[in-house]
Amino acid sequence: MIDALYSTRILTLAANLPHSGRLPEPSPDARFGTGERVARLCGSRAIVDVVLDETDRVIDFAQDIKACALGQAAAGVLGESVIGASVDEIETARDAMVAMLKSGGEGPVGRFEGLRALQQVADYPARHASTLVAVEATLEAARQAATRTSLAGAA
């Protein structure tokens, strides 16, 4: 039954959205990126802003999440874990999460291991997209920021 998806852990994560909102307008030389994802089936939406340092690690993060409890729970884990993460770590976590939901993978490890709390969503394919919106938006924002060359780094 779908009620089993909404465990105390999921609801606690959903209620705790660290770094809610949007980042202020960055300086022109900031390695800033914005990602947005929408789950077509249910309309869950995530807009994520990140700033990367010169080593492609997240130094600032904000998320505007309008999603179901599952999408909010994933966003809660991201908010707790993303500062200091590299673009590669975010991509690896996204790939592991997709594998967990779609092909029986174990789920993310390391800093994003908390996303494993959503493992039971694998049994509900209609919920996969809403569960992934924050992760996908974060990866999009980080990739975008990584393509920007900081003026300070170019000097």
Side-chain angles (χ1 to χ4, degrees):
M1 182 169 215
I2 201 159
D3 289 341
L5 278 176
Y6 300 101
S7 66
T8 301
R9 174 76 175 134
I10 298 288
L11 295 176
T12 299
L13 286 167
N16 177 32
L17 286 176
H19 305 283
S20 289
R22 301 291 306 272
L23 292 179
E25 187 67 29
S27 65
D29 66 335
R31 299 187 68 217
F32 177 85
T34 298
E36 181 173 3
R37 285 291 194 270
V38 176
R40 290 185 214 147
L41 184 63
C42 68
S44 290
R45 180 185 57 87
I47 300 173
V48 173
D49 299 320
V50 302
V51 177
L52 300 181
D53 68 11
E54 64 281 348
T55 65
D56 287 344
R57 292 196 173 274
V58 176
I59 57 172
D60 207 357
F61 171 85
Q63 56 185 348
D64 181 11
I65 308 295
K66 306 287 188 264
C68 66
L70 300 171
Q72 286 183 219
V77 172
L78 284 169
E80 292 173 350
S81 308
V82 75
I83 300 296
S86 70
V87 177
D88 289 341
E89 284 178 298
I90 297 166
E91 184 170 12
T92 298
R94 188 279 314 264
D95 292 348
M97 190 163 175
V98 169
M100 177 183 80
L101 294 175
K102 298 186 182 292
S103 59
E106 292 297 314
V109 296
R111 79 169 61 239
F112 296 110
E113 190 169 330
L115 291 168
R116 288 181 174 202
L118 296 155
Q119 194 165 31
Q120 61 215 35
V121 178
D123 295 334
Y124 303 91
R127 303 281 192 216
H128 292 181
S130 61
T131 304
L132 288 166
V133 292
V135 177
E136 292 283 359
T138 300
L139 180 57
E140 179 183 351
R143 284 177 172 163
Q144 184 184 100
T147 65
R148 298 182 189 218
T149 304
S150 169
L151 294 178

